[in-house]
Amino acid sequence: MSASVRDPAALPRLGWTLVALVLLWPLLRLTDFRPAALFDDGNLNAMGHFVGGFLPMETSPDFLALLGKATIETLAMATAGVAVAFVLAVPLGLAMTRSLSVSRLGPGRGGWIGQLLRALVRAVLAVLRGVPELVWALLFVRVFGLGAAAGVLALGITYGGMLGKVYGEILESTDDQPTRALLEAGSGRLAAFCYGLLPNAGQELVSYTVYRWECAVRASVVMGFVGAGGLGQLMDQSMKMLNGGEAATILATFLALVVAADAISELLRRRLA
Amino acid sequence: MNLSLEGVGLVHANGHQALRWIDLHVEAGERVALIGASGAGKTTLLRVLAAALRPSGGRLRMEGGDPWAASPAVLRQLRARIGLVHQAPPIPPRQRVVTAVLAGRLGQWPLWKSLASLVLPADAEGARRELARLDLADKLFERCDRLSGGQLQRVALARVLYQQPDLLLADEPVSAMDPALSELTVALLNEEASRRRVTLVASLHAVDLALRHFPRVVGVKDSGVLFDLPASQVTEGQLRELYAAEGGLPIAGAPASAIVDLSPLRCS
Amino acid sequence: MKPGVTFGGLAAIVLVLAAVAGSFAYLDMPLGALFTGAAVGEAVAFVQRFFPPDLSADFLAKVGGAALETLAISLVSTLLAAVAGALLAMPAAGRQGRAVRRVARFVLNLLRSVPELVWATLMVLAAGLGPFAGTLALALHTTGVLGRLFAEALENAPPTPAEALAGSGTPAVAAFLYGTLPLVAPQWLAYSLYRWEMNIRMAAILGFVGAGGLGGLLYYSLSLFHEAEASTVILAMLAMAIAVDGASAWLRRKA
């Protein structure tokens, strides 16, 4: 009788718990996990000093003017970056979409060239988005010098890869009957896209692009840490000089910016959808 | 556990009067069926008896005391002795049957035991025993979302049986079962109640089940009690009045929503 | 498509186009200068210095160690964040009253709004240079993100199972574990895995501000103009990103 009530999940559960525990130890070692470091005298002092300086927040007109400029630069960087990404992503995304393939229709050699092309595009997109935007920015700063240009290009490349991939996925998952009909009737790829796919997928495409812009604002905020302009550059300077008052004002601006980007993106998505 | 309601009324937050002036006395070990059209107030009445809804008027006494006057700790202890079978089994779909049944005793277990039982069932044998009474022992380690509606209803019943409450309340416990199974299940509830000398109050949609298995039948209509009689004294006229709004008598086997048309009976 | 474009939609499109044009104008991008002969030559020379990547065993071992550290940072921080997020999600879902809910939401928003890299600079001050600072930074930001998602899942979960258990005298903690947690657990797990995926990418760059992982190595090699080494590190980041992408796509297909 007792054999029949032995829990079949007991052994696997025990096993997985053991595996997790055995793995956790080296993980904690690798991350140098020492909560005590937080309460180390030196660190506590440095942090206490810095945070203690948060109040009063820095509100001198000079600094606020600087801050305003950096904020606008951050927003402009995000917007321009997503625009570059969009220009990059649209052709790549379309090239990746199987339902827009003309060769898939006909009898004949199965369109291996098309397949090769799609695989190639897929690989390019993977490389573009596989390298984080901040790494691209770090590299571009060395080519184009300090400033927002590096940030815009970096955002454009990484987000171009992301947008391209997601555009392709959205288009693939859209009902391809109308497109097929158009292609079979002999229309070109672009026309098939505009009249066959866009009506069904448009809303999702717009919504994702706007969402990416929201992410781009967050990303632009930190571009300055590698010298690519915007608010991050100010933050980096204030942090290096341990100027708590300035840091507090900049942090507050971050918060406002992120909240505003959330709201704008929500509004845009509702309007454009 | 004995119960007494004196002039109990209940108005929901939205202003709907769900119960009005209910007088009901149930002795320990009594078995009572609640019948009546849907929306008459049976579920609300059961929830008041379960000390889950606080009446907005009148007096509720359980074992001589007012549960709502007691301290939270005492109320919790009281509730641990009350088992309510809900109309829709309140069981998370991904939970395993064994866990769902053992949850019946969470009110009696110390917290550490409840925690440990999530990882390793504390009393799988006990859960299997209750399931076996409902012919469901083979589903012990099955996930609840793999069961049919009737099977899930029986799991919910097994949970309350496992709880071993002193007051057993059931809200249409067989609504998702076929007639044969309904018969067996209602019989099992009654057998359990008589064997353990437990008070049983169950609402049933099927009038014939109520009349066959319960010594005492309470007809609920328009938020009040229409009749409260031994099963043998319930007349057809009373039943017709009880279900007047629905146009027919529901009997076991008819889906809960479909009402058997009595017009042929009327003609004869 | 919808018959006709609404006025609001049209206005939004015009606004977006104006914003894009305005952004480029404001930034004064030297796009023309980028394509002069001298600039192109310089760029080509710069790119050439990255090839071939440094594949010496010595350096590869270093990169491997840093990659492992990156992975560890992402995993431990996501675990910490999942635990902290779950704890904060309960008050944020309104289980302890409205006032508490507002406070919890505010804390979550604060954690979420500060970017990982900013948290990292703060944590480097608080815990010293190294992977521990990176772990804390990622954990703080991710707590904000997961806490909010967890709270939303909690608010959308049907309350009846837990209420039924409470109705039979079950203490609140046990009622939550038996009645609510099984309802939200699959969602919570999916959110955590998704965040882990993002944190692997993020952990790779936290090193720019001294918080451990591959980023530190990259920053260091570039500062010393060791482009061949930098190129190896970038390849490692790329390999990791592609592996994570593939793994998550595979998992999603299986689920």
Side-chain angles (χ1 to χ4, degrees):
Chain A
M1 181 105 311
S2 72
S4 70
V5 292
R6 187 170 293 148
D7 189 347
L11 216 59
R13 280 181 187 182
L14 189 72
W16 284 113
T17 312
L18 278 178
V19 168
L21 284 178
V22 166
L23 278 178
L24 196 61
W25 177 242
L27 281 175
L28 291 180
R29 289 301 299 270
L30 271 170
T31 53
D32 203 8
F33 201 82
R34 289 175 293 108
L38 286 172
F39 305 101
D40 165 274
D41 274 351
N43 288 334
L44 216 53
N45 249 333
M47 192 65 188
H49 234 76
F50 181 64
V51 173
F54 271 21
L55 289 176
M57 280 160 72
E58 173 70 53
T59 51
S60 70
D62 280 357
F63 181 71
L64 287 188
L66 215 59
L67 190 70
K69 236 184 91 154
T71 307
I72 295 177
E73 194 177 51
T74 303
L75 281 173
M77 198 194 311
T79 311
V82 172
V84 172
F86 182 75
V87 170
L88 210 64
V90 168
L92 290 173
L94 285 182
M96 215 177 90
T97 310
R98 273 220 334 272
S99 49
L100 285 174
S101 160
V102 174
S103 54
R104 196 171 58 114
L105 294 176
R109 288 174 301 146
W112 62 271
I113 297 181
Q115 272 179 23
L116 194 72
L117 188 75
R118 279 194 288 279
L120 202 69
V121 169
R122 215 176 282 272
V124 168
L125 286 173
V127 171
L128 291 185
R129 70 172 189 278
V131 177
E133 61 269 27
L134 223 57
V135 173
W136 286 120
L138 191 66
L139 295 177
F140 288 145
V141 161
R142 267 145 227 273
V143 184
F144 307 125
L146 294 175
V152 170
L153 286 180
L155 276 178
I157 286 183
T158 301
Y159 281 40
M162 290 179 181
L163 284 179
K165 178 193 171 216
V166 174
Y167 286 173
E169 278 170 1
I170 292 176
L171 293 178
E172 286 275 279
S173 66
T174 309
D175 176 24
D176 67 347
Q177 284 305 319
T179 324
R180 242 192 126 97
L182 285 169
L183 288 176
E184 279 168 356
S187 77
R189 283 188 188 80
L190 207 60
F193 166 71
C194 287
Y195 292 98
L197 277 181
L198 203 52
N200 287 325
Q203 191 175 334
E204 220 177 324
L205 292 174
V206 168
S207 162
Y208 187 77
T209 312
V210 174
Y211 162 72
R212 266 294 143 203
W213 175 78
E214 190 189 319
C215 299
V217 173
R218 289 160 195 264
S220 311
V221 156
V222 294
M223 281 293 177
F225 282 96
V226 295
L231 275 171
Q233 207 141 354
L234 273 188
M235 185 73 185
D236 198 31
Q237 285 160 15
S238 309
M239 298 283 287
K240 278 189 180 132
M241 294 184 299
L242 291 182
N243 187 331
E246 282 183 17
T249 311
I250 300 172
L251 273 177
T253 314
F254 274 1
L255 297 190
L257 202 57
V258 170
V259 171
D262 265 18
I264 293 175
S265 127
E266 181 76 43
L267 191 82
L268 269 181
R269 265 185 282 185
R270 219 164 332 123
R271 283 280 152 169
L272 291 175
Chain B
M1 192 184 289
N2 60 33
L3 312 157
S4 97
L5 278 66
E6 285 169 27
V8 162
L10 191 131
V11 181
H12 281 302
N14 60 14
H16 172 67
Q17 174 112 37
L19 294 177
R20 63 184 96 220
W21 206 262
I22 303 263
D23 284 318
L24 188 68
H25 302 272
V26 182
E27 289 304 319
E30 247 192 302
R31 290 176 286 130
V32 182
L34 301 178
I35 58 173
S38 39
K42 299 184 303 258
T43 298
T44 312
L45 179 55
L46 280 169
R47 286 171 55 81
V48 167
L49 294 180
L53 274 181
R54 184 173 193 161
S56 38
R59 264 174 24 135
L60 165 67
R61 304 212 150 257
M62 310 180 83
E63 293 193 324
D66 179 357
W68 293 101
S71 70
V74 172
L75 180 57
R76 199 174 76 66
Q77 277 166 12
L78 176 72
R79 282 174 173 163
R81 295 170 49 209
I82 304 172
L84 172 59
V85 183
H86 294 255
Q87 197 167 2
I91 295 175
R94 296 174 70 101
Q95 198 161 51
R96 293 196 303 166
V97 169
V98 59
T99 316
V101 173
L102 293 182
R105 282 205 197 152
L106 290 177
Q108 296 150 45
W109 284 353
L111 188 58
W112 65 264
K113 191 172 178 184
S114 308
L115 283 175
S117 183
L118 272 179
V119 185
L120 207 69
D123 182 18
E125 177 55 39
R128 199 198 61 83
R129 211 177 304 126
E130 300 305 339
L131 286 166
R133 298 171 68 185
L134 291 151
D135 199 20
L136 218 55
D138 55 326
K139 304 286 186 205
L140 183 60
F141 294 112
E142 195 71 65
R143 250 172 50 175
C144 288
D145 51 0
R146 306 231 166 90
L147 303 181
S148 71
Q151 286 172 333
L152 195 61
Q153 214 163 29
R154 281 185 279 159
V155 170
L157 255 167
R159 166 191 283 190
V160 174
L161 291 180
Y162 182 72
Q163 185 188 346
Q164 302 210 318
D166 296 332
L167 171 59
L168 184 48
L169 304 169
D171 191 3
E172 305 211 356
V174 295
S175 58
M177 298 181 200
D178 62 49
L181 202 54
S182 302
E183 195 78 41
L184 283 175
T185 309
V186 172
L188 174 73
L189 272 175
N190 276 279
E191 185 254 340
E192 166 85 4
S194 345
R195 188 172 55 83
R196 287 189 41 240
R197 303 270 316 131
V198 165
T199 314
L200 170 66
V201 182
S203 75
L204 287 170
H205 195 261
V207 175
D208 54 334
L209 277 177
L211 294 177
R212 257 202 306 281
H213 291 281
F214 288 80
R216 179 177 168 194
V217 176
V218 173
V220 182
K221 188 182 181 189
D222 295 338
S223 315
V225 173
L226 183 69
F227 59 80
D228 179 357
L229 294 168
S232 54
Q233 293 175 22
V234 178
T235 66
E236 185 158 344
Q238 285 166 325
L239 292 178
R240 278 184 199 288
E241 193 189 343
L242 192 61
Y243 290 100
E246 295 195 359
L249 282 187
I251 58 169
S257 56
I259 303 299
V260 176
D261 189 6
L262 277 190
S263 41
L265 276 179
R266 264 185 219 122
C267 299
S268 60
Chain C
M1 205 172 287
K2 274 178 252 166
V5 182
T6 61
F7 175 75
L10 202 68
I13 290 172
V14 170
L15 262 176
V16 166
L17 288 179
V20 170
S23 299
F24 277 105
Y26 182 82
L27 291 176
D28 195 19
M29 298 260 297
L31 285 179
L34 289 184
F35 297 104
T36 58
V40 170
E42 221 173 282
V44 168
F46 177 70
V47 171
Q48 269 172 352
R49 287 207 295 275
F50 283 84
F51 293 95
D54 184 349
L55 295 179
S56 63
D58 239 20
F59 191 67
L60 278 185
K62 234 174 171 177
V63 171
L68 217 58
E69 193 176 284
T70 303
L71 202 66
I73 292 175
S74 69
L75 243 176
V76 174
S77 63
T78 311
L79 270 177
L80 282 177
V83 173
L87 290 178
L88 277 168
M90 284 175 226
R95 281 163 188 269
Q96 274 87 28
R98 287 180 148 275
V100 180
R101 175 176 191 264
R102 201 158 300 161
V103 172
R105 294 241 152 185
F106 177 76
V107 170
L108 289 176
N109 277 335
L110 194 73
L111 290 171
R112 193 170 59 93
S113 302
V114 176
E116 296 94 331
L117 218 60
V118 178
W119 275 126
T121 51
L122 289 171
M123 286 306 110
V124 165
L125 274 182
L129 291 169
F132 183 49
T135 310
L136 287 179
L138 270 187
L140 284 167
H141 179 82
T142 311
T143 298
V145 176
L146 286 182
R148 192 177 107 137
L149 291 172
F150 285 4
E152 269 165 26
L154 274 181
E155 284 184 338
N156 293 333
T160 37
E163 280 173 6
L165 288 172
S168 59
T170 305
V173 178
F176 173 79
L177 291 175
Y178 279 76
T180 308
L181 194 63
L183 293 171
V184 295
Q187 247 173 317
W188 284 15
L189 188 68
Y191 286 142
S192 304
L193 285 176
Y194 151 79
R195 269 326 284 200
W196 179 36
E197 191 186 326
M198 302 195 58
N199 278 349
I200 294 179
R201 291 167 210 273
M202 217 50 223
I205 53 174
L206 287 179
F208 291 0
V209 295
L214 279 170
L217 209 53
L218 178 65
Y219 203 75
Y220 183 72
S221 352
L222 278 177
S223 309
L224 296 177
F225 298 100
H226 290 167
E227 279 88 358
E229 289 184 355
S231 147
T232 315
V233 180
I234 294 176
L235 283 177
M237 284 183 182
L238 192 60
M240 233 159 122
I242 290 175
V244 169
D245 243 30
S248 87
W250 179 73
L251 271 176
R252 238 157 271 183
R253 260 200 310 279
K254 265 191 70 174

